[in-house]
Amino acid sequence: MELSARARIRAGDPVAFGELFDEHVSAVYRYAVRVTGDWAAAEDIVSLTFLEAWRVRERIQLEGESLRPWLFGIATNILRNASRSARRHEAALRRVPRRDLVPDFSAEVVGRLADAEELAAARAALGRLRKAEREVFALCVWAGLNYTEAAAALGVPLGTVRSRLSRARTRLRELTDAEREPSPGGGQLKGDGRANAVRSKERHA
């Protein structure tokens, strides 16, 4: 009987793990770019995610479908750890050009991402949410996971994902609507770029 992809990865089959990498690397990179807002930092997150996935491969359950929630759970933990221990990496990251170098595999991703200003505005708004709500929003809206996958990635109940995402969207609408004030020059609204940035992400939920 032929072993499943899960069983092969769990057993340390490099070919099966390479197939997992090829299938999900762009999605993990896209998620990391949107959360960090930094191309170089996102590359580090991708590398650390798959290194950790290889290290803990024996924990993979033999039953199940996609390994995407498992990978994004690892990526989320890497992002959490990176934010807590950023001081050790900041000096090295500052020496790397932030947006001059783009990895070859991300050409498609770059075409789909919002421009830098829009991404920065969306991240700034997300930064005002609670961490738990921010993580759910990033996984469901930016990474494209469904509620069940996001729940598996975060290790929380399905209902928790639904409620956190609902609170995140409500809060983001409040934040962006609060900035829509008439400007002295007339016509344009304050924070209009940020409102459009966040709402464009919501339309992909």
Side-chain angles (χ1 to χ4, degrees):
M1 180 178 178
E2 185 178 353
L3 292 176
S4 68
R6 283 172 170 263
R8 289 167 57 205
I9 293 171
R10 181 169 173 166
D13 183 339
V15 174
F17 192 82
E19 292 171 353
L20 178 74
F21 178 89
D22 291 340
E23 182 178 358
H24 296 289
V25 64
S26 291
V28 174
Y29 178 76
R30 179 166 59 245
Y31 171 56
V33 166
R34 286 171 166 169
V35 172
T36 64
D38 186 287
W39 308 116
E43 290 180 50
D44 289 342
I45 297 300
V46 170
S47 297
L48 290 171
T49 295
F50 283 95
L51 285 171
E52 181 66 6
W54 177 258
R55 188 182 74 82
V56 301
R57 64 190 183 278
E58 293 181 358
R59 300 179 191 173
I60 293 175
Q61 300 297 317
L62 292 178
E63 298 296 327
E65 298 179 1
S66 173
L67 286 172
R68 188 167 73 153
W70 177 70
L71 275 177
F72 275 93
I74 293 173
T76 299
N77 284 330
I78 296 295
L79 285 162
R80 288 173 182 167
N81 293 335
S83 66
R84 288 195 294 260
S85 59
R87 285 194 302 271
R88 194 177 76 175
H89 302 287
E90 280 179 356
L93 291 177
R94 279 197 297 266
R95 292 195 293 269
V96 179
R98 287 178 173 264
R99 295 179 175 83
D100 293 338
L101 298 179
V102 179
D104 291 340
F105 70 81
S106 68
E108 178 187 0
V109 174
V110 173
R112 294 182 179 179
L113 284 175
D115 62 70
E117 288 185 5
E118 193 171 276
L119 178 58
R123 290 186 64 251
L126 284 175
R128 298 174 66 180
L129 301 179
R130 294 185 178 89
K131 183 180 76 171
E133 295 167 359
R134 189 165 61 243
E135 289 178 347
V136 166
F137 185 93
L139 285 171
C140 290
V141 178
W142 280 352
L145 271 63
N146 60 38
Y147 293 149
T148 301
E149 291 173 330
L154 295 171
V156 300
L158 181 63
T160 300
V161 170
R162 291 179 183 275
S163 61
R164 287 179 182 176
L165 184 58
S166 176
R167 287 197 301 269
R169 284 174 165 158
T170 298
R171 181 59 176 150
L172 285 172
R173 280 193 292 269
E174 292 173 350
L175 290 172
T176 54
D177 287 345
E179 294 188 0
R180 296 177 65 82
E181 301 172 0
S183 67
Q188 293 189 342
L189 301 177
K190 178 183 177 183
D192 190 56
R194 180 173 299 179
N196 291 335
V198 174
R199 285 169 181 161
S200 68
K201 304 300 179 293
E202 290 188 7
R203 286 198 297 270
H204 291 85

